[in-house]
């Protein structure tokens, strides 16, 4: 007998991916960048949300930007006829052939890729779109300004259709270096006189640097309703919606006596007699082991009035379970639904309590967690 995989089966944990939230967030990006086309960034299996869900929710995007050519293949196999951008281009000459067959646009960020493109004989008849990447100060990928023109002219002479591209290091920060202004200055100088469409902005630039968008924007994290800064208030202000809701249940309740210790290491000591709830979610599900005591978990119908209430974690997160303080949740029972992150608990808040960013948590959702696409 095969068990259904998309609903609670044995362990009551489930990540629900809300495709209507994807649609909403994409709509917000269109409002914020009405003159630009949108590359929806879906690398890392759509930041942990699954390609299937992203494809369903973001089908009205202008293109998908990703890293792994297998994901491009997946999109073509599912009849996506629109544009696909390989964000780090190709990693070998053999991959180039495959990428062209799949009609991918390519980022080109180094000399080796330029050489491969020069030697490659394109028999497909389709002009290949290149997004030539300038290192305008982030010092990760891209040509330095003094090398950029040569690369541009070489690819232009080889018959490619060129676009200018750069990536911001600090669009989410007020005083980070290099600033968006410095990177823009570098970019504008480097491309002077070289006519081509441009692609500049990530989520933070779309939200806060509307003068630095370009013809194609490249939103990632904001599509998922998560903040580029890690501050959830930015998501509220920007009217974005969480796409991934990670939920589970209370599977046991312990009645502690004052002075009892909880979990591995006994890190939490009960300050008084109290109830704690044991939740079926641990670090092997992608919940951060370093979440501090006090990380919020929402428990449904649990307060004195039967409303949902935020309960703080207590004790160390273990592989399959975590524990929460139920003192504010007198109605909490075994079987109560809890939300680890989503609508009631911003993933940004969980990340902050764990010394990381929402990007990492959503990308690290474990394979063993069933996903329901809604
Ligand atoms: C080149 C490039 N563009 C766009 C993005 C999307 O960034 P964000 O998720 O911050 O919007 C990324 C993600 O890291 C990226 O590497």
């Amino acid at each position: 007998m095969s068990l259904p995989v998309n609903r609670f089966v044995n362990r009551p944990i489930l990540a629900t991916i809300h495709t209507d939230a994807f649609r909403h967030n994409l709509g917000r990006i269109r409002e914020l960048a009405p003159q630009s086309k949108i590359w929806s960034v879906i690398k890392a299996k759509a930041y942990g949300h699954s390609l299937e869900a992203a494809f369903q929710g973001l089908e009205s995007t202008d293109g998908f930007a990703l890293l792994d050519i297998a994901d491009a293949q997946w999109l073509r196999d599912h009849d996506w006829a629109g544009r696909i951008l390989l964000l780090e281009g190709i990693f070998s000459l053999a991959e180039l052939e495959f990428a062209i067959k799949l009609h991918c646009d390519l980022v080109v960020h180094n000399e080796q890729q330029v050489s491969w493109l020069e030697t490659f004989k394109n028999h497909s008849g389709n002009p290949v779109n290149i997004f030539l990447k300038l290192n305008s100060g982030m010092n990760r990928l891209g040509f330095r300004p003094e090398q950029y023109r040569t690369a541009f002219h070489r690819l232009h002479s080889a018959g490619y259709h060129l676009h200018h591209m750069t990536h911001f290091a600090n669009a989410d920060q007020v005083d980070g270096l290099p600033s968006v202004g410095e990177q823009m200055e570098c970019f504008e100088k480097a491309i002077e006189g070289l006519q081509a469409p441009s692609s500049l902005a990530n989520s933070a630039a779309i939200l806060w640097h509307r003068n630095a968008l370009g013809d194609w924007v490249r939103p990632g994290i904001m599509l998922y309703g998560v903040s580029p800064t890690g501050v959830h208030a930015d998501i509220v202000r920007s009217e974005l919606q969480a796409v991934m809701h990670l939920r589970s249940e209370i599977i046991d309740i312990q009645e502690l006596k004052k002075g009892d210790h909880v979990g591995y290491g006994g890190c939490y000591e009960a300050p008084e007699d109290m109830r704690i709830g044991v939740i079926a979610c641990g670090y092997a599900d992608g919940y951060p082991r370093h979440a501090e005591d006090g990380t919020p978990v929402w428990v449904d119908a649990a307060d004195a009035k039967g409303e949902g209430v935020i309960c703080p974690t207590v004790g160390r997160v273990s592989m399959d379970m975590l524990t929460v303080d139920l003192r504010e949740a007198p109605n909490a029972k075994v079987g109560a639904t809890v939300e680890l992150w989503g609508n009631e608990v911003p993933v940004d808040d969980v990340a902050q309590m764990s010394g990381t960013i929402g990007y990492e948590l959503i990308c690290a959702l474990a394979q063993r967690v069933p996903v329901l696409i809604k």
Side-chain angles (χ1 to χ4, degrees), residues 43 47 87 133 140 165 167 202-203 218-221 359:
K43 59 186 177 161
Y47 290 43
L87 275 170
K133 191 162 185 180
R140 203 175 55 172
M165 171 181 173
H167 192 49
N202 56 1
S203 297
R218 303 189 308 275
I221 198 74
Y359 289 79

Side-chain angles (χ1 to χ4, degrees), residues 250 277 279 296-303 306-312 324-326 329 331-333 336-339 344-345:
I250 294 180
I279 290 166
V297 173
W298 178 83
V299 183
D300 193 19
D303 75 0
E307 304 283 315
V309 64
I310 296 290
C311 297
V324 292
D325 178 348
L326 292 179
N331 279 324
K333 297 178 181 60
T337 298
V338 305
E339 182 177 281
E344 309 290 341
V345 177

